Amino acid sequence: MSQADQPFAPDRLRWMLSKVQKWQPYVDGVLLDDVAFVLDNYMPSEEEVEVLATRLSGHLLRLVQAVTSKVDRWDQKASDLVKRALATGSVALTGDHSQDVGHLRRMAWTLEAFLERLVENQCLKETPQSECAPPGRTEERALA
């Protein structure tokens, strides 16, 4: 039996393995499920409101970290969504169930709009320090 040809040197393969093991997607099923759950006709209980508020706030923060401050130089809508995400995600719950559910829905709407804009601008990358390409740039981006 012959030995298999390795496409990379062992050090490069170990580096690739470490990158794959550390990688976590910014957009995963949990984010989309949480947005769908909050925007559904179902009224979450008081216990669910706290859990969902924490999760949605975390999703907003992860998306904000997925882009750099340079995005506001060429995309005002994305810049506005970053500001809205930071403002919405930092608001504390009031303790009034109906107001808190309204706040959850505002966070979910912000998440949905922000996610759509980041996907449109190809801003979602594997590292929080990644940059978005200005409109019209089609060059390939290398993995970090």
Side-chain angles (χ1 to χ4, degrees):
M1 192 181 279
S2 64
Q3 276 189 319
D5 291 331
Q6 292 185 355
F8 300 108
D11 289 343
R12 183 71 173 168
L13 286 173
R14 279 191 283 280
W15 174 83
M16 289 174 62
L17 177 62
S18 72
K19 287 293 208 179
V20 169
Q21 289 173 331
K22 292 177 187 174
W23 182 78
Q24 291 184 354
Y26 287 106
V27 180
D28 54 16
V30 175
L31 182 154
L32 299 173
D33 288 345
D34 288 346
V35 169
F37 184 77
V38 170
L39 295 179
D40 197 4
N41 288 330
Y42 172 75
M43 176 70 83
S45 68
E46 290 182 23
E47 296 80 26
E48 291 172 324
V49 167
E50 273 190 55
V51 171
L52 288 167
T54 301
R55 288 168 62 158
L56 291 178
S57 180
H59 294 318
L60 285 168
L61 182 59
R62 282 179 35 203
L63 288 182
V64 167
Q65 290 174 343
V67 298
T68 65
S69 61
K70 294 180 183 181
V71 71
D72 63 358
R73 293 183 189 157
W74 50 267
D75 189 346
Q76 186 60 44
K77 189 172 181 179
S79 176
D80 293 343
L81 285 166
V82 167
K83 291 173 189 170
R84 189 167 69 173
L86 289 170
T88 306
S90 64
V91 173
L93 297 177
T94 63
D96 180 308
H97 187 252
S98 61
Q99 285 184 356
D100 290 344
V101 169
H103 177 65
L104 280 181
R105 292 195 172 137
R106 281 188 295 280
M107 287 196 320
W109 287 322
T110 301
L111 258 169
E112 184 178 42
F114 192 25
L115 180 60
E116 284 178 10
R117 193 64 184 184
L118 294 180
V119 168
E120 184 178 313
N121 286 321
Q122 301 175 359
C123 293
L124 296 178
K125 304 290 249 173
E126 67 179 80
T127 59
Q129 293 79 24
S130 62
E131 293 185 29
C132 307
R137 286 181 66 186
T138 58
E139 64 195 40
E140 291 289 323
R141 290 181 205 73
L143 290 175

